[in-house]
Amino acid sequence: MATFIIRRLIAAILILLAATFLVYNMVALSGDPLEDLRGSQAPNVQQLIEARIRLLHLDVPPPLRYFIWLSGIGGCFIGQCDFGFTIQQQPVVVLLEAAMGQTIQLVTISNVVAIILGIVIGITTALRQYSAYDYGITFVSFLFFSLPIFWVAVLLKEFGAIGLNDFLQDGGTVSPVFIVVFTVITGLIWASLIGGDLKRKAATFAISGVATAGVLVYMSSTGWFLDPRFRIGGADLSIVIVGAFMIAAAVGVTAILSGFKRKRPLIIGLAVALLGIVLYVPLQYTLLNPSAFVMSIPFLLLLAVVTVLVGVGIGWLFGGEQRSQAMKIGGWVAFLSGFVIIVDRIQQVWMPYSESGRIRGRPIATIGATTPNLDGSFWVLSLDTLTHLLLPSIALLLISFAGFTRYTRASLLEVLNQDYIRTARAKGLTERTVVVRHAFRNALIPIATIIAFDIAGLIGGAVITERVFGWNGMGTLFQTGLDRTDPNPVMAFFIVTGALALLFNLIADLAYAALDPRIRVS
Amino acid sequence: MRINRFAVGGAALAVGALALSACTPTPGGSGEEIVEGSSITVAWNQPFYSANGNTSFGNATANNNINYMTYGGFNFYDSTPELQQDESFGTYELLSDDPLQVQYTINEGVQWSDGVAVDSADMLLNWAALSGFYNTEDFDAAEFQDPETGEFTTEFPENTVFFDSGASPTEGLGLVQEVPEVNEDGRGVQLNYSSFYVDWELAFQAGLPAHVIGQQALGIEDPQEAKDAVVTAIQDGDTEALSAISAFWNNGFNFTEMPEDESILVSSGPYQITDFVLNDYITLSANENYVGDHQPQVEQVTVRFITDPLAAVQALQNGDVDVIAPQATADVRQQLDSLDGITVQYGDDATYEHVDLQFDQSRNPGVFSTLEARQSFLHTIPRQEIVDTLIVPLNPEATTRDSAVFLPGAEGYDDSVAASGVDAYAEVDIEQAIALREQAGLAEGTEVCLLFASTNPRRVQEFQLMQQSAALAGWNLTDCSSPEWGGLLGTPGAYDASLFGWQSTSLGVAAAGPNFSTDGINNMSFYSNPEMDEVITQLNGEADPAEQLRLQQEIDRILIEDAFGITIFQFPAVSAWSDRITGLDPSPLAPTIFWNIWDWEPTETNVTES
């Protein structure tokens, strides 16, 4: 294992060396670095040119000049990175840090959402192969797959930002027509998804339709879109909704991971959810209260880890015979409950945020990564980041989502048709056990590699998205550098994306081995 | 029944929690989590990068707009455009016009945002910088110019003074070749010009904070001492001190994000820079120590950098920005016309589009070295077609601009157009273009590479129209465009012809000089004609307005005679703003929308909370 990783890392470094060599030369040869000299302001052009040749070592041919750059990068190993300077005389390192922060934020969120959505929808389409739902998703994912991202971005701004903001400014009331159409579509999707005979489908359609319409009417009539809280007589009773979501999470996670045959896992799931409900109010006054505690991203992550550990711990303590299942269920329910609490906390600042003088009832932004000069608590700033991330993330995720859905579907279908699945069914295992324990894990193997490849590709894809949405990420760094025949920022972009691509490749291989017992890395 | 006990306990807890949450409102529900004030966001297409707009590095609209709001001045252009004096800042008086003597006095009580008085020390420093009086002779600054950026390094040899202000001994403050006298009260200086300078009224302002430069360059802590040291250095001609001062003057005010040492942000105008995020936005807040008449009404003005005009319109539509002044295109107009609650104003801009030909140092060597070649190429430029297809949709009354010197409609324009011979280029003349090209001895298919902004859609369209027309006359017009076209201007060997706009920053009659005189700062074409140089020198010394007009018309005539290039149209301008702001009155001259920033008034919809 260790030798495998070391071997792969050495190979990765060699590949990176060769690739940087190629890219450096291509950038250096893509234009004339002397082109931007301003003759009019330089009385002595010849000396200017000479000065530049000295500074940039232009008398050294690019293949050799590469090694001068490389020695600067080589300094990273002794803690003295030298990425050089850009045309505006700024150290590339500073730009790189700022750019990486923005791009990674963008790519991470869109990727995580795309993976979760893609896999979930992929699985459901595979399980309901050739249903109307399956055909619908196939159509939609091919549609997304073939959309040009710059066009999607402009459309998203028009409808996702301007349209949505107009809707919010007009009072956030949904028109009856929309409710009817939305209800029918949701009903059809659920009916097709749950399946069964006509009678069952009709029942599903009716139940889900009524539920959807009810929720929509409630949201529309109480101004939920302007203030996403659940209030009765002025009192904020959102804890009811939060609690319902936690209990639903407990039931859902149990249904997937262990089924309801044995009671103990369900009880543990519900217990963790109850713990979440109990902690909800105290948390509002302590950790989640900006005047009592200054929250930060690292601490939030730490909190997430602690939460999961608590859930796992509860499962371990009270799991009994189903300890391993109970631990999983406890961990997942704890995580989801924590997530619901955080979402609820951000919802609390939605109204003050969107009514603030800087936002003025139009919370979804079309440009930039933050609202200039917005000052507020961690939660307000998080919400601000989210409203800026929303559209570019959707633009990015629409495209990768399409891929994930198709791959997951194909991969799961292939596994489901294999003999061992038939054997598993034949020996009387429940469908849940067959799908979750036997089919799903194996279906994930090819997905793991695709996800890894996709991450490197997404950073490249973010070049266009960043431009349309006015983000100053890696794409901007790359583009401005290339425009000016300025290799230093381009190489900074390349070394980061290249290293990431290789790293994710390695991770994919390790994940492959971890997921597939037939494969052993050595 | 364990499950029941569980359920009951759980239910009890849930009810308890519910009751608890119902009794007490959730903390952080309103107000307290947000800190804010009244604000306006303006979209501009280029990031700010220097608070010193007088260096050749920092002289750009993106900088001057901001600097206009942060530095007070003796005069400014209104939207007429007409020169207005700001007597709440200071006054100036013409003592004599032969020899030319001007007295500048800053009002008592005018101060920098850090409380230090704006006075003669600042003006003295500004004179030293703009006149280039102390610049070390025969010093080749180019050696110390960062070739990547055009900025000067701070590592001048010892005792070398170099203010990078593009000072020329024949114009502007370059003509004030004696140390100005300082008034006893320390608030005034008297400038004695060695010869008449026609635009003397536009030549001088109060400049940068002398005390900050003294503190930074000379390492003196006390602002008054630093100021005195600068004055002494200038009055005594102390090259050692002036060397450090000039180096800091050249470099110290260049920054692309909030500087660590905020002392260089001191302001004497209605606003001061309070936040600056790399490539994203710059925020100006009302200057509390501002005492003049131009008291701002909007607490914070944020300028966001949005390169793409359509993204700017969408941002306006969405309320991300409140004021935009994008480059007017048909798409922008179409999109703006469909918006509600937005005030849109169309008009002329001070910029005119023109094609310049490289007399020398062209990419295809010698292609435009002959008059015939230049005339031939100019005959192919479809000026009327460009105006009709690209400008009329934006400004229905748009015509070609036919003078390189006069603004259309300005006094002298019609006479100049009639006399200069520009009518020869009114229509495309392919036959003559072919004949002239052959006379110049250039084969069919001769390449002309055109430099223009690749990011500017209109110039791309103009290029395509020009390309088609040029092809008919056997010219092969190729694409030398770049997003960084500005930096490429005047670069030897980079292009053969350039398509860009000159922006008039004033109505001064001397403005034409730098464009057309030999080695003039804006003469990117390596154009040199002794007759032109003489006319320009004459114009710069001419006090009689009628004679000024005659000389300006002479410049127009010589330019056409030499086939220097051709003007095409006056830029249509469009600006649009939301209902959150009133009082905008865009001016054709820079700083366009910003000129009356103090009149901008937040409307009721501009919610101010505290």
Side-chain angles (χ1 to χ4, degrees):
Chain A
M1 184 78 169
T3 47
F4 171 79
I5 294 177
I6 289 167
R7 221 170 54 211
R8 283 295 302 268
L9 281 178
I10 292 172
I13 287 170
L14 290 178
I15 292 171
L16 208 54
L17 278 178
T20 48
F21 180 78
L22 276 178
V23 172
Y24 189 92
N25 283 294
M26 286 196 285
V27 175
L29 296 172
S30 70
D32 178 9
L34 295 169
E35 223 170 54
D36 63 316
L37 281 173
R38 300 183 183 203
S40 65
Q41 282 160 32
N44 205 333
V45 174
Q46 198 49 45
Q47 270 170 312
L48 255 181
I49 292 175
E50 277 167 20
R52 173 171 297 190
I53 289 174
R54 270 200 308 278
L55 191 92
L56 294 181
H57 308 284
L58 295 181
D59 47 347
V60 183
L64 296 177
R65 213 188 312 150
Y66 164 78
F67 291 99
I68 299 175
W69 170 82
L70 189 65
S71 62
I73 297 297
C76 289
F77 292 107
I78 52 165
Q80 292 174 326
C81 276
D82 179 13
F83 282 90
F85 287 84
T86 67
I87 279 196
Q88 289 279 347
Q89 268 199 339
Q90 287 169 301
V92 172
V93 180
V94 174
L95 288 177
L96 186 67
E97 272 171 26
M100 251 164 72
Q102 292 213 340
T103 294
I104 286 175
Q105 212 178 18
L106 187 62
V107 170
T108 312
I109 291 209
S110 62
N111 239 328
V112 168
V113 177
I115 290 169
I116 294 172
L117 272 184
I119 290 180
V120 168
I121 293 181
I123 289 171
T124 51
T125 48
L127 295 178
R128 293 285 173 268
Q129 196 186 9
Y130 303 139
S131 65
Y133 169 75
D134 184 26
Y135 286 128
I137 293 294
T138 305
F139 170 75
V140 170
S141 54
F142 275 114
L143 185 72
F144 289 158
F145 204 66
S146 42
L147 289 178
I149 196 161
F150 59 88
W151 185 71
V152 172
V154 171
L155 281 191
L156 275 175
K157 282 190 188 182
E158 188 62 41
F159 297 106
I162 296 164
L164 186 61
N165 285 334
D166 285 347
F167 159 76
L168 290 176
Q169 267 192 328
D170 292 344
T173 40
V174 188
S175 74
V177 179
F178 179 84
I179 295 183
V180 169
V181 172
F182 192 78
T183 302
V184 169
I185 293 175
T186 326
L188 287 176
I189 291 177
W190 279 110
S192 183
L193 190 61
I194 303 286
D197 55 17
L198 201 62
K199 202 174 153 192
R200 193 171 163 203
K201 275 187 176 168
T204 317
F205 177 81
I207 294 170
S208 64
V210 167
T212 310
V215 169
L216 268 182
V217 167
Y218 168 78
M219 285 176 157
S220 171
S221 58
T222 57
W224 188 88
F225 294 102
L226 302 181
D227 182 23
R229 313 297 301 150
F230 177 66
R231 292 180 201 278
I232 294 175
D236 190 339
L237 295 181
S238 297
I239 188 171
V240 173
I241 308 292
V242 168
F245 269 104
M246 288 179 183
I247 287 167
V251 173
V253 167
T254 314
I256 292 171
L257 291 183
S258 77
F260 298 114
K261 232 173 169 179
R262 296 199 180 83
K263 287 205 176 91
R264 195 180 280 261
L266 178 63
I267 292 171
I268 285 179
L270 288 173
V272 173
L274 270 177
L275 184 63
I277 296 171
V278 169
L279 286 177
Y280 175 82
V281 172
L283 277 177
Q284 304 301 321
Y285 291 89
T286 52
L287 290 181
L288 303 183
N289 182 357
S291 44
F293 181 79
V294 181
M295 185 56 86
S296 64
I297 295 275
F299 190 82
L300 196 61
L301 291 177
L302 183 71
L303 211 57
V305 172
V306 171
T307 309
V308 171
L309 286 180
V310 168
V312 170
I314 289 175
W316 185 78
L317 278 176
F318 304 107
E321 283 169 20
Q322 291 92 38
R323 180 176 276 176
S324 78
Q325 277 182 341
M327 280 164 67
K328 276 186 207 159
I329 290 171
W332 274 107
V333 173
F335 177 79
L336 291 173
S337 301
F339 183 74
V340 170
I341 289 179
I342 297 303
V343 170
D344 173 80
R345 183 63 187 84
I346 289 175
Q347 282 182 343
Q348 287 174 28
V349 295
W350 174 261
M351 189 159 83
Y353 169 78
S354 63
E355 281 183 353
S356 77
R358 302 232 180 256
I359 308 299
R360 305 180 300 277
R362 303 189 68 84
I364 312 296
T366 60
I367 43 160
T370 50
T371 303
N373 307 305
L374 182 78
D375 200 358
S377 70
F378 172 79
W379 306 105
V380 171
L381 297 181
S382 301
L383 178 58
D384 185 55
T385 308
L386 289 176
T387 56
H388 283 80
L389 270 173
L390 185 71
L391 296 187
S393 298
I394 292 178
L396 284 178
L397 90 82
L398 279 186
I399 283 151
S400 46
F401 155 80
F404 290 140
T405 319
R406 302 307 300 160
Y407 285 124
T408 311
R409 179 180 179 274
S411 154
L412 188 61
L413 280 177
E414 191 193 321
V415 172
L416 281 175
N417 287 330
Q418 281 179 5
D419 288 346
Y420 77 91
I421 295 293
R422 197 184 318 156
T423 314
R425 282 196 178 121
K427 73 177 180 187
L429 290 181
T430 60
E431 187 66 12
R432 185 199 65 77
T433 319
V434 172
V435 173
V436 175
R437 196 174 293 168
H438 297 277
F440 175 61
R441 234 187 106 173
N442 286 333
L444 269 187
I445 296 169
I447 306 297
T449 37
I450 288 154
I451 288 171
F453 284 129
D454 222 67
I455 287 173
L458 258 187
I459 292 174
V463 172
I464 296 167
T465 314
E466 276 172 17
R467 184 174 176 80
V468 181
F469 286 101
W471 281 57
N472 293 302
M474 300 291 284
T476 316
L477 193 69
F478 170 76
Q479 207 183 8
T480 47
L482 200 57
D483 284 344
R484 295 170 182 171
T485 325
D486 186 9
N488 287 340
V490 176
M491 293 313 290
F493 164 86
F494 183 76
I495 214 163
V496 170
T497 50
L500 274 182
L502 290 167
L503 182 70
F504 277 102
N505 251 317
L506 178 62
I507 291 175
D509 285 348
L510 295 179
Y512 215 112
L515 289 168
D516 191 343
R518 291 169 298 183
I519 291 173
R520 191 179 299 156
V521 287
S522 61
Chain B
M1 291 294 279
R2 277 174 67 197
I3 194 163
N4 279 350
R5 262 183 286 149
F6 233 113
V8 169
L13 277 174
V15 168
L18 192 61
L20 205 57
S21 79
C23 301
T24 44
T26 330
S30 66
E32 71 186 42
E33 292 194 57
I34 293 190
V35 189
E36 58 188 348
S38 89
S39 64
I40 279 298
T41 309
V42 185
W44 198 261
N45 60 8
Q46 201 198 349
F48 171 88
Y49 61 90
S50 175
N52 185 359
N54 281 320
T55 58
S56 59
F57 174 77
N59 185 7
T61 319
N63 296 329
N64 293 340
N65 284 339
I66 307 293
N67 295 337
Y68 178 80
M69 297 187 266
T70 57
Y71 295 123
F74 293 104
N75 51 29
F76 60 94
Y77 279 107
D78 66 11
S79 62
T80 310
E82 196 179 345
L83 195 65
Q84 300 286 345
Q85 293 193 28
D86 177 9
E87 291 184 352
S88 69
F89 181 79
T91 51
Y92 53 90
E93 192 188 346
L94 185 64
L95 300 176
S96 133
D97 58 0
D98 188 24
L100 183 61
Q101 292 182 329
V102 193
Q103 167 72 39
Y104 287 87
T105 314
I106 288 172
N107 290 357
E108 199 164 356
V110 173
Q111 54 185 343
W112 294 99
S113 51
D114 58 2
V116 177
V118 180
D119 59 21
S120 55
D122 303 308
M123 291 197 282
L124 204 59
L125 173 63
N126 202 34
W127 163 79
L130 299 188
S131 66
F133 180 71
Y134 292 109
N135 283 7
T136 308
E137 266 178 60
D138 298 327
F139 166 62
D140 180 15
E143 274 277 334
F144 303 92
Q145 187 174 17
D146 186 308
E148 295 244 306
T149 62
E151 273 187 299
F152 289 94
T153 67
T154 43
E155 293 148 4
F156 287 149
E158 242 173 81
N159 298 344
T160 304
V161 183
F162 179 74
F163 287 99
D164 171 34
S165 59
S168 149
T170 55
E171 51 182 22
L173 277 201
L175 294 168
V176 184
Q177 288 298 324
E178 57 180 89
V179 182
E181 285 168 40
V182 175
N183 288 19
E184 274 181 20
D185 61 7
R187 290 188 285 109
V189 294
Q190 182 184 329
L191 303 184
N192 297 328
Y193 287 77
S194 56
S195 66
F196 186 79
Y197 178 61
V198 67
D199 284 334
W200 61 270
E201 216 178 341
L202 304 172
F204 191 67
Q205 294 291 354
L208 297 174
H211 65 286
V212 172
I213 294 178
Q215 286 171 322
Q216 301 279 350
L218 306 175
I220 301 169
E221 251 179 57
D222 181 70
Q224 193 56 46
E225 277 176 35
K227 189 180 268 208
D228 294 342
V230 171
V231 172
T232 315
I234 292 172
Q235 285 175 338
D236 299 351
D238 173 358
T239 45
E240 196 186 328
L242 282 170
S243 172
I245 290 171
S246 69
F248 194 80
W249 191 87
N250 293 339
N251 281 308
F253 292 85
N254 302 338
F255 49 92
T256 53
E257 60 189 328
M258 206 60 179
E260 264 171 45
D261 183 348
E262 297 188 7
S263 68
I264 58 172
L265 301 179
V266 298
S267 137
S268 60
Y271 284 96
Q272 71 183 110
I273 298 168
T274 50
D275 197 8
F276 186 10
V277 175
L278 179 69
N279 286 337
D280 196 355
Y281 64 86
I282 186 165
T283 297
L284 306 169
S285 302
N287 173 5
E288 284 173 13
N289 281 340
Y290 179 71
V291 295
D293 288 345
H294 298 160
Q295 287 296 343
Q297 303 180 53
V298 182
E299 204 178 310
Q300 262 188 352
V301 174
T302 296
V303 178
R304 270 188 111 147
F305 313 129
I306 304 176
T307 326
D308 181 22
L310 289 177
V313 177
Q314 276 192 317
L316 175 71
Q317 191 183 357
N318 194 37
D320 296 326
V321 298
D322 306 305
V323 181
I324 61 171
Q327 192 145 34
T329 67
D331 290 342
V332 166
R333 178 169 187 177
Q334 200 183 3
Q335 218 170 336
L336 280 175
D337 283 346
S338 66
L339 301 189
D340 293 329
I342 301 287
T343 312
V344 185
Q345 186 162 326
Y346 300 100
D348 259 351
D349 186 274
T351 307
Y352 65 95
E353 192 88 323
H354 63 107
V355 172
D356 285 355
L357 308 180
Q358 296 306 93
F359 282 63
D360 195 8
Q361 310 280 3
S362 53
R363 184 186 176 96
N364 293 295
V367 62
F368 284 137
S369 57
T370 62
L371 177 66
E372 289 79 12
R374 296 194 297 270
Q375 285 175 334
S376 164
F377 184 73
L378 293 186
H379 274 301
T380 69
I381 296 176
R383 300 167 66 223
Q384 192 60 48
E385 192 188 353
I386 290 174
V387 171
D388 289 344
T389 50
L390 301 178
I391 308 305
V392 170
L394 301 182
N395 180 5
E397 285 160 30
T399 56
T400 53
R401 167 164 168 150
D402 295 327
S403 162
V405 182
F406 295 95
L407 273 166
E411 194 187 358
Y413 176 80
D414 292 335
D415 294 342
S416 184
V417 171
S420 67
V422 71
D423 53 340
Y425 300 105
E427 296 291 335
V428 174
D429 190 341
I430 297 297
E431 268 175 41
Q432 200 170 354
I434 294 174
L436 284 165
R437 177 178 52 75
E438 282 166 358
Q439 273 180 42
L442 294 173
E444 194 170 339
T446 300
E447 190 193 358
V448 172
C449 204
L450 185 73
L451 173 73
F452 59 99
S454 60
T455 48
N456 180 334
R458 185 162 69 212
R459 297 221 169 104
V460 175
Q461 288 172 299
E462 286 173 60
F463 166 72
Q464 285 163 351
L465 290 173
M466 286 167 63
Q467 193 179 35
Q468 289 164 9
S469 177
L472 298 177
W475 290 100
N476 176 23
L477 189 64
T478 56
D479 184 347
C480 265
S481 65
S482 158
E484 308 293 321
W485 61 277
L488 290 172
L489 281 177
T491 304
Y495 59 98
D496 304 312
S498 53
L499 169 70
F500 66 102
W502 277 130
Q503 187 169 28
S504 321
T505 51
S506 75
L507 296 180
V509 301
N515 285 3
F516 311 120
S517 63
T518 306
D519 292 335
I521 191 166
N522 290 331
N523 177 357
M524 314 289 186
S525 314
F526 303 94
Y527 171 62
S528 174
N529 181 343
E531 192 188 355
M532 176 68 84
D533 292 348
E534 203 191 305
V535 172
I536 287 171
T537 318
Q538 228 179 319
L539 178 66
N540 284 345
E542 185 52 65
D544 178 18
E547 189 62 11
Q548 284 176 5
L549 285 183
R550 192 191 66 76
L551 288 166
Q552 283 178 293
Q553 289 170 8
E554 189 68 5
I555 292 176
D556 255 346
R557 189 190 60 74
I558 298 173
L559 287 175
I560 295 294
E561 194 178 274
D562 284 345
F564 171 84
I566 197 86
T567 52
I568 304 180
F569 57 79
Q570 201 70 26
F571 272 38
V574 59
S575 36
W577 53 92
S578 71
D579 54 10
R580 296 186 61 237
I581 187 89
T582 58
L584 275 88
D585 181 16
S587 158
L589 287 173
T592 59
I593 51 173
F594 295 104
W595 80 267
N596 67 341
I597 186 78
W598 49 83
D599 289 334
W600 293 18
E601 207 178 323
T603 59
E604 279 165 23
T605 50
N606 191 341
V607 186
T608 309
E609 288 171 28
S610 53

